[in-house]
Amino acid sequence: MRPISPEFHRRAFLAAGLATMTAGGADAAAQPFFKRHGLPIGIQLYTLAPDAAKDLEGTLKAVAGVGYRSIELQGLLGRSGAQMRAALDAAGVTCASIHVQGRGQLDGDLAKLSDDLGAIGVKYAVMPSPLISNQQIQAGGGDWRKALTLLTADDWKANADFLNEKAAVLAKSGIKLGYHNHNFEFAPLGSTNGMEILFEKTDPALVTFEVDVGWVAAAGLDPAALLQRYKGRVSLMHVKDIKPETQPNFALKMDPTEVGSGKLPWTTLLPAAYAAGVRGFYVEQEPPFARPRIEAARISHDFLAGLKA
């Protein structure tokens, strides 16, 4: 019998290794998106705001029971940082991101705010809407929603300056400041819009963004294209779906639905978000709800948990 050459052994070893890597890659690709990337499916507690207002501890335990392990808070809900941390720990969930208002929080005692957020373990503080003045609200006929659509380019530049200023302070405590969009930011202002101004005028080293893909789609825009355009500037995402009948607008209007039940292309959108740098994904659903909010949260969670993308 002809002896087996060392070269044969080498080729066989390389072929076996390639087959193993290929099989491993195939196995990884077959896993659902969140499991493959080792990321928790998070939820913005605004989704269950009325429930949380009545019974925070019970609501946290309920979402944990659904399978959520990462919570984005809608403010401190009247608790201190230590009290909120105790409630989160009791439910077995964590909180790395929280929404904080520009008026009453970011323009107040940032040392105290930093202490509270540090006690919780927060890494991202997100301003959920721009600063508007009483005069601007009056200009909108007393309707703050109308006032938001009347902001000028200078107003958006002032918001960018505010974000830069507060972000520099929070950074000293290891907290990154971000901004969360709706759809009014995309209303045309000549050749630009409010969102473009915020991206352009904020310091990339200090200010990050949380892109709400549902509101981007409600503005008639492609969320994946936006994420690609601002790759590296977006750390967080609101995983939000809308019904196909939603008409493009800039006036805080949408037809909401559970994730996976609407028009957004999640099999391509989630990988696009990951490629752009997003690592915090939070389900959020706007009212009105067709079913109890916790049931809606379960539908969204279960869809995402099994989604291969």
Side-chain angles (χ1 to χ4, degrees), residues 178-219:
Y179 181 84
H180 162 274
N181 69 277
H182 291 78
N183 62 347
F184 53 80
E185 289 91 347
F186 300 99
L189 293 171
S191 61
T192 187
N193 59 54
M195 199 66 178
E196 286 185 354
I197 292 171
L198 290 180
F199 272 112
E200 292 169 4
K201 298 298 183 181
T202 51
D203 186 342
L206 293 174
V207 178
T208 191
F209 286 83
E210 178 174 60
V211 167
D212 187 313
V213 294
W215 281 119
V216 174

mmCIF file of all heavy atoms in Angstrom, residues 178-219:
data_model
loop_
_atom_site.group_PDB
_atom_site.id
_atom_site.type_symbol
_atom_site.label_atom_id
_atom_site.label_comp_id
_atom_site.label_asym_id
_atom_site.label_seq_id
_atom_site.Cartn_x
_atom_site.Cartn_y
_atom_site.Cartn_z
ATOM 1 N N GLY A 178 -27.783 61.233 24.856
ATOM 2 C CA GLY A 178 -28.286 60.982 23.515
ATOM 3 C C GLY A 178 -29.540 61.769 23.224
ATOM 4 O O GLY A 178 -30.105 62.434 24.101
ATOM 5 N N TYR A 179 -29.983 61.675 21.982
ATOM 6 C CA TYR A 179 -31.245 62.307 21.567
ATOM 7 C C TYR A 179 -32.084 61.272 20.839
ATOM 8 O O TYR A 179 -31.584 60.507 20.010
ATOM 9 C CB TYR A 179 -30.988 63.509 20.652
ATOM 10 C CG TYR A 179 -32.271 64.193 20.225
ATOM 11 C CD1 TYR A 179 -32.874 65.141 21.049
ATOM 12 C CD2 TYR A 179 -32.902 63.853 19.024
ATOM 13 C CE1 TYR A 179 -34.068 65.745 20.676
ATOM 14 C CE2 TYR A 179 -34.098 64.455 18.643
ATOM 15 C CZ TYR A 179 -34.670 65.397 19.470
ATOM 16 O OH TYR A 179 -35.868 65.982 19.103
ATOM 17 N N HIS A 180 -33.387 61.281 21.143
ATOM 18 C CA HIS A 180 -34.358 60.363 20.547
ATOM 19 C C HIS A 180 -35.291 61.142 19.622
ATOM 20 O O HIS A 180 -35.834 62.172 20.002
ATOM 21 C CB HIS A 180 -35.162 59.680 21.663
ATOM 22 C CG HIS A 180 -36.438 59.053 21.196
ATOM 23 N ND1 HIS A 180 -37.621 59.749 21.088
ATOM 24 C CD2 HIS A 180 -36.730 57.781 20.832
ATOM 25 C CE1 HIS A 180 -38.575 58.950 20.672
ATOM 26 N NE2 HIS A 180 -38.066 57.749 20.502
ATOM 27 N N ASN A 181 -35.468 60.624 18.412
ATOM 28 C CA ASN A 181 -36.298 61.321 17.427
ATOM 29 C C ASN A 181 -37.751 60.879 17.435
ATOM 30 O O ASN A 181 -38.098 59.780 17.890
ATOM 31 C CB ASN A 181 -35.738 61.078 16.027
ATOM 32 C CG ASN A 181 -35.914 59.620 15.590
ATOM 33 O OD1 ASN A 181 -35.097 58.769 15.944
ATOM 34 N ND2 ASN A 181 -36.962 59.329 14.827
ATOM 35 N N HIS A 182 -38.582 61.772 16.911
ATOM 36 C CA HIS A 182 -39.942 61.420 16.502
ATOM 37 C C HIS A 182 -39.985 61.603 14.982
ATOM 38 O O HIS A 182 -39.036 61.237 14.309
ATOM 39 C CB HIS A 182 -40.961 62.277 17.238
ATOM 40 C CG HIS A 182 -41.030 61.962 18.706
ATOM 41 N ND1 HIS A 182 -40.089 62.425 19.612
ATOM 42 C CD2 HIS A 182 -41.904 61.225 19.424
ATOM 43 C CE1 HIS A 182 -40.378 61.978 20.827
ATOM 44 N NE2 HIS A 182 -41.474 61.242 20.744
ATOM 45 N N ASN A 183 -41.053 62.163 14.447
ATOM 46 C CA ASN A 183 -41.031 62.409 12.993
ATOM 47 C C ASN A 183 -40.986 63.887 12.634
ATOM 48 O O ASN A 183 -40.646 64.244 11.512
ATOM 49 C CB ASN A 183 -42.197 61.711 12.287
ATOM 50 C CG ASN A 183 -43.561 62.195 12.725
ATOM 51 O OD1 ASN A 183 -43.696 62.898 13.727
ATOM 52 N ND2 ASN A 183 -44.602 61.814 11.998
ATOM 53 N N PHE A 184 -41.288 64.766 13.599
ATOM 54 C CA PHE A 184 -41.282 66.192 13.286
ATOM 55 C C PHE A 184 -39.870 66.713 13.001
ATOM 56 O O PHE A 184 -39.711 67.744 12.341
ATOM 57 C CB PHE A 184 -41.929 67.002 14.413
ATOM 58 C CG PHE A 184 -41.353 66.740 15.777
ATOM 59 C CD1 PHE A 184 -40.168 67.326 16.188
ATOM 60 C CD2 PHE A 184 -42.013 65.890 16.661
ATOM 61 C CE1 PHE A 184 -39.646 67.085 17.443
ATOM 62 C CE2 PHE A 184 -41.489 65.639 17.929
ATOM 63 C CZ PHE A 184 -40.302 66.235 18.311
ATOM 64 N N GLU A 185 -38.840 66.002 13.487
ATOM 65 C CA GLU A 185 -37.460 66.432 13.216
ATOM 66 C C GLU A 185 -37.119 66.405 11.726
ATOM 67 O O GLU A 185 -36.150 67.042 11.296
ATOM 68 C CB GLU A 185 -36.454 65.528 13.945
ATOM 69 C CG GLU A 185 -36.423 65.692 15.443
ATOM 70 C CD GLU A 185 -37.366 64.743 16.163
ATOM 71 O OE1 GLU A 185 -38.219 64.126 15.471
ATOM 72 O OE2 GLU A 185 -37.250 64.612 17.380
ATOM 73 N N PHE A 186 -37.899 65.660 10.941
ATOM 74 C CA PHE A 186 -37.587 65.497 9.524
ATOM 75 C C PHE A 186 -38.355 66.469 8.633
ATOM 76 O O PHE A 186 -38.222 66.414 7.402
ATOM 77 C CB PHE A 186 -37.875 64.058 9.105
ATOM 78 C CG PHE A 186 -37.063 63.051 9.870
ATOM 79 C CD1 PHE A 186 -37.610 62.363 10.955
ATOM 80 C CD2 PHE A 186 -35.741 62.810 9.535
ATOM 81 C CE1 PHE A 186 -36.859 61.444 11.679
ATOM 82 C CE2 PHE A 186 -34.980 61.894 10.251
ATOM 83 C CZ PHE A 186 -35.531 61.217 11.325
ATOM 84 N N ALA A 187 -39.139 67.378 9.218
ATOM 85 C CA ALA A 187 -39.839 68.393 8.435
ATOM 86 C C ALA A 187 -38.807 69.281 7.739
ATOM 87 O O ALA A 187 -37.850 69.742 8.371
ATOM 88 C CB ALA A 187 -40.739 69.231 9.342
ATOM 89 N N PRO A 188 -38.962 69.529 6.445
ATOM 90 C CA PRO A 188 -37.962 70.307 5.703
ATOM 91 C C PRO A 188 -37.777 71.720 6.256
ATOM 92 O O PRO A 188 -38.743 72.402 6.605
ATOM 93 C CB PRO A 188 -38.535 70.352 4.284
ATOM 94 C CG PRO A 188 -39.453 69.177 4.197
ATOM 95 C CD PRO A 188 -40.052 69.045 5.576
ATOM 96 N N LEU A 189 -36.524 72.116 6.329
ATOM 97 C CA LEU A 189 -36.142 73.488 6.680
ATOM 98 C C LEU A 189 -35.174 73.956 5.601
ATOM 99 O O LEU A 189 -33.959 73.899 5.768
ATOM 100 C CB LEU A 189 -35.477 73.523 8.060
ATOM 101 C CG LEU A 189 -36.357 73.174 9.270
ATOM 102 C CD1 LEU A 189 -35.507 73.036 10.526
ATOM 103 C CD2 LEU A 189 -37.434 74.232 9.471
ATOM 104 N N GLY A 190 -35.723 74.368 4.475
ATOM 105 C CA GLY A 190 -34.880 74.672 3.334
ATOM 106 C C GLY A 190 -34.262 73.394 2.811
ATOM 107 O O GLY A 190 -34.974 72.434 2.500
ATOM 108 N N SER A 191 -32.944 73.342 2.770
ATOM 109 C CA SER A 191 -32.251 72.162 2.253
ATOM 110 C C SER A 191 -31.883 71.174 3.352
ATOM 111 O O SER A 191 -31.209 70.173 3.083
ATOM 112 C CB SER A 191 -30.969 72.593 1.524
ATOM 113 O OG SER A 191 -30.095 73.268 2.427
ATOM 114 N N THR A 192 -32.340 71.422 4.570
ATOM 115 C CA THR A 192 -31.988 70.552 5.685
ATOM 116 C C THR A 192 -33.225 70.256 6.529
ATOM 117 O O THR A 192 -34.349 70.506 6.108
ATOM 118 C CB THR A 192 -30.874 71.208 6.541
ATOM 119 O OG1 THR A 192 -30.422 70.278 7.522
ATOM 120 C CG2 THR A 192 -31.362 72.476 7.227
ATOM 121 N N ASN A 193 -33.030 69.681 7.707
ATOM 122 C CA ASN A 193 -34.128 69.463 8.649
ATOM 123 C C ASN A 193 -33.548 69.407 10.064
ATOM 124 O O ASN A 193 -32.320 69.427 10.241
ATOM 125 C CB ASN A 193 -34.930 68.195 8.308
ATOM 126 C CG ASN A 193 -34.073 66.939 8.313
ATOM 127 O OD1 ASN A 193 -33.382 66.633 9.280
ATOM 128 N ND2 ASN A 193 -34.128 66.180 7.214
ATOM 129 N N GLY A 194 -34.404 69.323 11.053
ATOM 130 C CA GLY A 194 -33.942 69.351 12.430
ATOM 131 C C GLY A 194 -33.010 68.215 12.776
ATOM 132 O O GLY A 194 -32.016 68.401 13.500
ATOM 133 N N MET A 195 -33.294 67.025 12.263
ATOM 134 C CA MET A 195 -32.456 65.868 12.587
ATOM 135 C C MET A 195 -31.058 66.023 12.001
ATOM 136 O O MET A 195 -30.053 65.727 12.657
ATOM 137 C CB MET A 195 -33.117 64.591 12.073
ATOM 138 C CG MET A 195 -32.607 63.323 12.717
ATOM 139 S SD MET A 195 -33.038 63.245 14.472
ATOM 140 C CE MET A 195 -32.374 61.641 14.904
ATOM 141 N N GLU A 196 -30.975 66.496 10.762
ATOM 142 C CA GLU A 196 -29.673 66.715 10.148
ATOM 143 C C GLU A 196 -28.857 67.738 10.940
ATOM 144 O O GLU A 196 -27.649 67.566 11.137
ATOM 145 C CB GLU A 196 -29.844 67.194 8.705
ATOM 146 C CG GLU A 196 -30.277 66.118 7.740
ATOM 147 C CD GLU A 196 -30.314 66.619 6.305
ATOM 148 O OE1 GLU A 196 -30.104 67.838 6.094
ATOM 149 O OE2 GLU A 196 -30.571 65.801 5.405
ATOM 150 N N ILE A 197 -29.525 68.786 11.410
ATOM 151 C CA ILE A 197 -28.832 69.817 12.180
ATOM 152 C C ILE A 197 -28.285 69.236 13.477
ATOM 153 O O ILE A 197 -27.144 69.512 13.869
ATOM 154 C CB ILE A 197 -29.771 71.007 12.461
ATOM 155 C CG1 ILE A 197 -30.092 71.735 11.149
ATOM 156 C CG2 ILE A 197 -29.148 71.973 13.467
ATOM 157 C CD1 ILE A 197 -31.178 72.784 11.271
ATOM 158 N N LEU A 198 -29.080 68.408 14.150
ATOM 159 C CA LEU A 198 -28.602 67.794 15.395
ATOM 160 C C LEU A 198 -27.390 66.905 15.155
ATOM 161 O O LEU A 198 -26.417 66.930 15.920
ATOM 162 C CB LEU A 198 -29.733 66.992 16.047
ATOM 163 C CG LEU A 198 -30.887 67.787 16.639
ATOM 164 C CD1 LEU A 198 -31.915 66.831 17.245
ATOM 165 C CD2 LEU A 198 -30.412 68.790 17.686
ATOM 166 N N PHE A 199 -27.432 66.095 14.118
ATOM 167 C CA PHE A 199 -26.285 65.242 13.804
ATOM 168 C C PHE A 199 -25.046 66.079 13.470
ATOM 169 O O PHE A 199 -23.932 65.749 13.879
ATOM 170 C CB PHE A 199 -26.606 64.310 12.631
ATOM 171 C CG PHE A 199 -27.241 63.012 13.027
ATOM 172 C CD1 PHE A 199 -28.566 62.729 12.699
ATOM 173 C CD2 PHE A 199 -26.519 62.054 13.722
ATOM 174 C CE1 PHE A 199 -29.149 61.519 13.056
ATOM 175 C CE2 PHE A 199 -27.102 60.836 14.086
ATOM 176 C CZ PHE A 199 -28.419 60.573 13.754
ATOM 177 N N GLU A 200 -25.257 67.146 12.717
ATOM 178 C CA GLU A 200 -24.127 67.948 12.247
ATOM 179 C C GLU A 200 -23.538 68.835 13.341
ATOM 180 O O GLU A 200 -22.318 69.068 13.365
ATOM 181 C CB GLU A 200 -24.565 68.813 11.062
ATOM 182 C CG GLU A 200 -24.884 68.002 9.808
ATOM 183 C CD GLU A 200 -25.561 68.833 8.731
ATOM 184 O OE1 GLU A 200 -25.714 70.065 8.936
ATOM 185 O OE2 GLU A 200 -25.947 68.260 7.687
ATOM 186 N N LYS A 201 -24.372 69.330 14.238
ATOM 187 C CA LYS A 201 -23.918 70.334 15.201
ATOM 188 C C LYS A 201 -23.577 69.755 16.577
ATOM 189 O O LYS A 201 -23.067 70.485 17.434
ATOM 190 C CB LYS A 201 -24.987 71.413 15.367
ATOM 191 C CG LYS A 201 -25.302 72.187 14.090
ATOM 192 C CD LYS A 201 -24.099 72.944 13.561
ATOM 193 C CE LYS A 201 -24.440 73.760 12.330
ATOM 194 N NZ LYS A 201 -23.253 74.479 11.789
ATOM 195 N N THR A 202 -23.845 68.476 16.809
ATOM 196 C CA THR A 202 -23.461 67.874 18.083
ATOM 197 C C THR A 202 -22.088 67.217 17.949
ATOM 198 O O THR A 202 -21.708 66.761 16.874
ATOM 199 C CB THR A 202 -24.486 66.827 18.561
ATOM 200 O OG1 THR A 202 -24.757 65.888 17.503
ATOM 201 C CG2 THR A 202 -25.782 67.499 18.984
ATOM 202 N N ASP A 203 -21.378 67.177 19.053
ATOM 203 C CA ASP A 203 -20.028 66.612 19.097
ATOM 204 C C ASP A 203 -20.115 65.084 19.115
ATOM 205 O O ASP A 203 -20.644 64.510 20.069
ATOM 206 C CB ASP A 203 -19.317 67.127 20.348
ATOM 207 C CG ASP A 203 -17.862 66.707 20.422
ATOM 208 O OD1 ASP A 203 -17.467 65.763 19.710
ATOM 209 O OD2 ASP A 203 -17.111 67.318 21.210
ATOM 210 N N PRO A 204 -19.598 64.402 18.096
ATOM 211 C CA PRO A 204 -19.671 62.940 18.053
ATOM 212 C C PRO A 204 -19.023 62.259 19.250
ATOM 213 O O PRO A 204 -19.398 61.141 19.608
ATOM 214 C CB PRO A 204 -18.937 62.579 16.764
ATOM 215 C CG PRO A 204 -19.014 63.809 15.923
ATOM 216 C CD PRO A 204 -18.938 64.950 16.890
ATOM 217 N N ALA A 205 -18.052 62.934 19.864
ATOM 218 C CA ALA A 205 -17.377 62.351 21.025
ATOM 219 C C ALA A 205 -18.232 62.436 22.279
ATOM 220 O O ALA A 205 -17.984 61.729 23.253
ATOM 221 C CB ALA A 205 -16.045 63.049 21.264
ATOM 222 N N LEU A 206 -19.250 63.289 22.255
ATOM 223 C CA LEU A 206 -20.064 63.520 23.452
ATOM 224 C C LEU A 206 -21.511 63.054 23.314
ATOM 225 O O LEU A 206 -22.090 62.529 24.266
ATOM 226 C CB LEU A 206 -20.062 65.015 23.796
ATOM 227 C CG LEU A 206 -18.745 65.634 24.247
ATOM 228 C CD1 LEU A 206 -18.912 67.145 24.389
ATOM 229 C CD2 LEU A 206 -18.283 65.022 25.560
ATOM 230 N N VAL A 207 -22.093 63.268 22.142
ATOM 231 C CA VAL A 207 -23.540 63.052 21.961
ATOM 232 C C VAL A 207 -23.786 61.886 21.012
ATOM 233 O O VAL A 207 -23.228 61.819 19.916
ATOM 234 C CB VAL A 207 -24.213 64.318 21.411
ATOM 235 C CG1 VAL A 207 -25.712 64.070 21.189
ATOM 236 C CG2 VAL A 207 -24.012 65.497 22.364
ATOM 237 N N THR A 208 -24.641 60.960 21.445
ATOM 238 C CA THR A 208 -25.059 59.849 20.599
ATOM 239 C C THR A 208 -26.538 59.995 20.273
ATOM 240 O O THR A 208 -27.187 60.970 20.690
ATOM 241 C CB THR A 208 -24.768 58.503 21.298
ATOM 242 O OG1 THR A 208 -24.949 57.439 20.349
ATOM 243 C CG2 THR A 208 -25.678 58.274 22.498
ATOM 244 N N PHE A 209 -27.092 59.033 19.552
ATOM 245 C CA PHE A 209 -28.497 59.110 19.152
ATOM 246 C C PHE A 209 -29.197 57.774 19.374
ATOM 247 O O PHE A 209 -28.586 56.709 19.317
ATOM 248 C CB PHE A 209 -28.621 59.517 17.679
ATOM 249 C CG PHE A 209 -28.315 60.966 17.450
ATOM 250 C CD1 PHE A 209 -26.999 61.386 17.322
ATOM 251 C CD2 PHE A 209 -29.323 61.910 17.402
ATOM 252 C CE1 PHE A 209 -26.695 62.728 17.138
ATOM 253 C CE2 PHE A 209 -29.036 63.249 17.215
ATOM 254 C CZ PHE A 209 -27.719 63.668 17.090
ATOM 255 N N GLU A 210 -30.483 57.894 19.642
ATOM 256 C CA GLU A 210 -31.377 56.740 19.706
ATOM 257 C C GLU A 210 -32.383 56.918 18.581
ATOM 258 O O GLU A 210 -33.240 57.807 18.640
ATOM 259 C CB GLU A 210 -32.091 56.676 21.057
ATOM 260 C CG GLU A 210 -33.079 55.517 21.160
ATOM 261 C CD GLU A 210 -33.663 55.387 22.558
ATOM 262 O OE1 GLU A 210 -34.305 56.360 23.024
ATOM 263 O OE2 GLU A 210 -33.479 54.333 23.201
ATOM 264 N N VAL A 211 -32.253 56.115 17.534
ATOM 265 C CA VAL A 211 -33.143 56.238 16.381
ATOM 266 C C VAL A 211 -34.402 55.417 16.605
ATOM 267 O O VAL A 211 -34.334 54.206 16.845
ATOM 268 C CB VAL A 211 -32.428 55.813 15.086
ATOM 269 C CG1 VAL A 211 -33.431 55.635 13.949
ATOM 270 C CG2 VAL A 211 -31.378 56.841 14.701
ATOM 271 N N ASP A 212 -35.537 56.095 16.533
ATOM 272 C CA ASP A 212 -36.837 55.437 16.611
ATOM 273 C C ASP A 212 -37.271 55.145 15.184
ATOM 274 O O ASP A 212 -37.696 56.050 14.452
ATOM 275 C CB ASP A 212 -37.848 56.344 17.323
ATOM 276 C CG ASP A 212 -39.174 55.657 17.582
ATOM 277 O OD1 ASP A 212 -39.710 55.018 16.652
ATOM 278 O OD2 ASP A 212 -39.690 55.759 18.719
ATOM 279 N N VAL A 213 -37.110 53.885 14.773
ATOM 280 C CA VAL A 213 -37.330 53.541 13.370
ATOM 281 C C VAL A 213 -38.813 53.639 12.986
ATOM 282 O O VAL A 213 -39.131 53.866 11.817
ATOM 283 C CB VAL A 213 -36.776 52.145 13.037
ATOM 284 C CG1 VAL A 213 -35.259 52.129 13.168
ATOM 285 C CG2 VAL A 213 -37.394 51.058 13.910
ATOM 286 N N GLY A 214 -39.710 53.486 13.953
ATOM 287 C CA GLY A 214 -41.128 53.639 13.651
ATOM 288 C C GLY A 214 -41.464 55.066 13.254
ATOM 289 O O GLY A 214 -42.194 55.304 12.287
ATOM 290 N N TRP A 215 -40.906 56.024 13.997
ATOM 291 C CA TRP A 215 -41.155 57.432 13.671
ATOM 292 C C TRP A 215 -40.444 57.835 12.380
ATOM 293 O O TRP A 215 -40.943 58.676 11.622
ATOM 294 C CB TRP A 215 -40.741 58.333 14.819
ATOM 295 C CG TRP A 215 -41.738 58.382 15.944
ATOM 296 C CD1 TRP A 215 -41.543 58.016 17.242
ATOM 297 C CD2 TRP A 215 -43.098 58.837 15.860
ATOM 298 N NE1 TRP A 215 -42.694 58.203 17.979
ATOM 299 C CE2 TRP A 215 -43.659 58.702 17.156
ATOM 300 C CE3 TRP A 215 -43.898 59.330 14.831
ATOM 301 C CZ2 TRP A 215 -44.980 59.054 17.444
ATOM 302 C CZ3 TRP A 215 -45.218 59.683 15.106
ATOM 303 C CH2 TRP A 215 -45.742 59.541 16.397
ATOM 304 N N VAL A 216 -39.279 57.258 12.115
ATOM 305 C CA VAL A 216 -38.599 57.538 10.845
ATOM 306 C C VAL A 216 -39.477 57.081 9.688
ATOM 307 O O VAL A 216 -39.685 57.809 8.704
ATOM 308 C CB VAL A 216 -37.225 56.838 10.774
ATOM 309 C CG1 VAL A 216 -36.594 57.026 9.397
ATOM 310 C CG2 VAL A 216 -36.284 57.388 11.850
ATOM 311 N N ALA A 217 -40.029 55.869 9.814
ATOM 312 C CA ALA A 217 -40.901 55.338 8.770
ATOM 313 C C ALA A 217 -42.181 56.161 8.659
ATOM 314 O O ALA A 217 -42.698 56.361 7.552
ATOM 315 C CB ALA A 217 -41.237 53.878 9.055
ATOM 316 N N ALA A 218 -42.687 56.663 9.791
ATOM 317 C CA ALA A 218 -43.899 57.494 9.765
ATOM 318 C C ALA A 218 -43.656 58.813 9.047
ATOM 319 O O ALA A 218 -44.598 59.430 8.551
ATOM 320 C CB ALA A 218 -44.396 57.744 11.188
ATOM 321 N N ALA A 219 -42.394 59.234 8.991
ATOM 322 C CA ALA A 219 -42.048 60.445 8.242
ATOM 323 C C ALA A 219 -41.897 60.152 6.749
ATOM 324 O O ALA A 219 -41.631 61.066 5.961
ATOM 325 C CB ALA A 219 -40.760 61.043 8.787
#
